[in-house]
Amino acid sequence: MQVSRYRILVINPAVTSTKFGVYENNLPVMERTIAHDKEIIAEFQSINEQDHFRKQMILAALDKEEINLSKIDAVCGRGGLLRPIEGGTYTVNKEMLEDLRNGYNGQHVSNLGGILAYAIASGLNIPSFIVDPVVVDELEPIARISGSPLIERKSIFHALNQKAAARKAATELGKSYEELNAIVVHMGGGITIGVHKDGKVIDVNNGLDGDGPFSPARAGTVPIGDLVRLCFSGDYFREEVMGKLVGQSGLVGYLGTNNAMIVEKKIEQGDKHAELVYEAMAYQIAKEIGSAATVLSGKVDCIVLTGGLAYSRRFVNGISKKISWIADVTVHPGENELQALAEGALRVLDGRETAKEYLGKQLNAVNVHR
């Protein structure tokens, strides 16, 4: 039987760059990163205003590579800060575009993913998609309880990479993702630990500015009383406190760098303080994994370590020796976001999944009655 071949353009915008690629099914034909001059980006009054500029850059690069746009079957962009939705591949529609452009959950460069996908696809009369945005919310009701009725736990995490890594792990075990019980740990600038059960992430720490282990640049969960006293000390404005917790903490706060390679070099040179801090980050991740295992009542098929820090053998070993008794540990380093986007679109194009419809404002009513 002949296997259908689909060409998919995938787009992942970053603050001063745009990553994109063309895939044939799940194999890359080309991948490129366009670096944008910071001064040019600064000229735009808002992120939304960058869409035409970035679109033209992508199209020019594709033309230079002699990519025939008429052979593209779909365009898939990185999902942005939308309303909380379940995981999956979504068609970019007018409701989604409205929330992306208005910054419903905040103005972030990832919002351009869906906007750019639609802008290019509409001109080619082909579908546009997003896959597993960071606002994927599949938490069970019990996981939302924080301990204070004033605060509800939120699901904001590295959904795209976590779910892609979980699917790979499931395949390795001869299972479908929907049959898998796994703990997936994304370890990058932010660190999130997700409990994957039957195709849903039923519990996860808030990786944007919330809880969990400290990371290369974020504080994670800190002693709450001391945090309250810090906030009301009169020494800092609100924005300064947030800046210190998200961006100036973790490895940056303790060691002045978010680069794990530099930290490991310090350790090799005999820096005991660097060694202690680095081990503490692995320690906190391992402790969070142990906690996550209780959500699955110890019935864990595998633990998946992914993200940039998963390239470090020292760091992976530091975690694994503490948690390998729970389940086998598998490592899928890096984020591989372009491939994850292509695979999400492919599952729809080849009929394995049906694209989901984003409901926009109607989601408020849906969420209330969960």
Side-chain angles (χ1 to χ4, degrees), residues 228-249:
V228 171
R229 284 185 282 274
L230 180 70
C231 291
F232 288 90
S233 66
D235 295 331
Y236 307 103
F237 293 110
R238 172 185 169 181
E239 292 76 14
E240 290 178 298
V241 173
M242 286 301 296
K244 287 186 177 297
L245 296 176
V246 183
Q248 300 171 33
S249 287

Side-chain angles (χ1 to χ4, degrees), residues 78-139:
R78 179 73 183 270
L81 295 177
L82 295 160
R83 299 166 196 263
I85 53 178
E86 67 178 6
T89 300
Y90 285 78
T91 300
V92 181
N93 58 18
K94 65 178 184 180
E95 291 82 6
M96 181 183 294
L97 287 171
E98 181 180 354
D99 279 351
L100 289 173
R101 288 180 175 134
N102 292 337
Y104 175 82
N105 242 329
Q107 293 291 348
H108 191 272
V109 69
S110 63
N111 292 357
L112 284 171
I115 293 171
L116 288 168
Y118 180 84
I120 294 174
S122 59
L124 300 172
N125 198 29
I126 58 176
S128 55
F129 305 111
I130 66 163
V131 181
D132 293 328
V134 295
V135 293
V136 164
D137 185 348
E138 299 165 337
L139 297 187

Side-chain angles (χ1 to χ4, degrees), residues 132-192:
D132 293 328
V134 295
V135 293
V136 164
D137 185 348
E138 299 165 337
L139 297 187
E140 292 186 336
I142 197 169
R144 300 183 189 280
I145 304 299
S146 71
S148 168
L150 299 175
I151 302 170
E152 182 181 82
R153 291 189 67 235
K154 294 181 177 66
S155 176
I156 302 178
F157 70 110
H158 305 88
L160 181 63
N161 187 45
Q162 279 214 23
K163 282 183 173 274
R167 288 180 183 278
K168 289 178 184 176
T171 299
E172 291 169 355
L173 293 173
K175 293 174 174 279
S176 70
Y177 175 52
E178 290 71 24
E179 297 172 319
L180 187 71
N181 278 7
I183 298 167
V184 183
V185 186
H186 176 100
M187 305 183 299
I191 294 174
T192 54

Side-chain angles (χ1 to χ4, degrees), residues 22-336:
V22 175
Y23 277 70
E24 192 162 285
N25 287 359
N26 62 347
L27 297 175
V29 174
M30 62 158 286
E31 293 181 336
R32 295 288 182 274
T33 299
I34 301 174
H36 304 306
D37 190 296
K38 292 182 180 180
E39 293 183 1
I40 293 176
I41 292 295
E43 291 177 1
F44 294 98
Q45 297 298 310
S46 68
I47 290 172
N48 288 342
E49 293 180 7
Q50 300 174 24
D51 59 345
H52 182 71
F53 164 74
R54 293 193 189 228
K55 174 187 171 183
Q56 294 307 120
M57 296 283 279
I58 293 170
L59 293 178
L62 291 171
D63 183 60
K64 184 177 180 181
E65 295 290 334
E66 298 183 347
I67 297 295
N68 187 344
L69 292 180
S70 68
K71 301 295 185 182
I72 301 294
D73 296 291
V75 187
C76 189
R78 179 73 183 270
L81 295 177
L82 295 160
R83 299 166 196 263
I85 53 178
E86 67 178 6
T89 300
Y90 285 78
T91 300
V92 181
N93 58 18
K94 65 178 184 180
E95 291 82 6
M96 181 183 294
L97 287 171
E98 181 180 354
D99 279 351
L100 289 173
R101 288 180 175 134
N102 292 337
Y104 175 82
N105 242 329
Q107 293 291 348
H108 191 272
V109 69
S110 63
N111 292 357
L112 284 171
I115 293 171
L116 288 168
Y118 180 84
I120 294 174
S122 59
L124 300 172
N125 198 29
I126 58 176
S128 55
F129 305 111
I130 66 163
V131 181
D132 293 328
V134 295
V135 293
V136 164
D137 185 348
E138 299 165 337
L139 297 187
E140 292 186 336
I142 197 169
R144 300 183 189 280
I145 304 299
S146 71
S148 168
L150 299 175
I151 302 170
E152 182 181 82
R153 291 189 67 235
K154 294 181 177 66
S155 176
I156 302 178
F157 70 110
H158 305 88
L160 181 63
N161 187 45
Q162 279 214 23
K163 282 183 173 274
R167 288 180 183 278
K168 289 178 184 176
T171 299
E172 291 169 355
L173 293 173
K175 293 174 174 279
S176 70
Y177 175 52
E178 290 71 24
E179 297 172 319
L180 187 71
N181 278 7
I183 298 167
V184 183
V185 186
H186 176 100
M187 305 183 299
I191 294 174
T192 54
I193 293 96
V195 180
H196 295 242
K197 179 177 173 60
D198 301 332
K200 304 287 184 184
V201 182
I202 61 173
D203 200 347
V204 67
N205 62 298
N206 179 342
L208 183 62
D209 57 12
D211 49 7
F214 74 82
S215 75
R218 292 180 170 94
T221 300
V222 295
I224 191 168
D226 292 331
L227 176 60
V228 171
R229 284 185 282 274
L230 180 70
C231 291
F232 288 90
S233 66
D235 295 331
Y236 307 103
F237 293 110
R238 172 185 169 181
E239 292 76 14
E240 290 178 298
V241 173
M242 286 301 296
K244 287 186 177 297
L245 296 176
V246 183
Q248 300 171 33
S249 287
L251 296 184
V252 172
Y254 286 109
L255 303 174
T257 180
N258 63 359
N259 189 319
M261 293 179 64
I262 293 176
V263 174
E264 291 193 8
K265 188 173 182 179
K266 287 176 179 285
I267 295 171
E268 291 168 3
Q269 293 172 344
D271 189 328
K272 294 299 182 182
H273 178 61
E275 184 176 16
L276 176 63
V277 172
Y278 205 49
E279 288 182 354
M281 188 164 69
Y283 169 88
Q284 289 196 5
I285 292 171
K287 189 165 68 169
E288 193 85 6
I289 292 170
S291 175
T294 67
V295 177
L296 295 171
S297 301
K299 298 175 182 177
V300 184
D301 294 321
C302 63
I303 298 167
V304 185
L305 304 182
T306 184
L309 282 169
Y311 283 112
S312 168
R313 182 175 298 179
R314 173 193 287 269
F315 196 67
V316 166
N317 288 343
I319 296 169
S320 297
K321 67 183 182 182
K322 292 185 179 298
I323 49 91
S324 58
W325 59 272
I326 298 173
D328 288 341
V329 179
T330 183
V331 182
H332 291 289
E335 299 188 8
N336 305 311

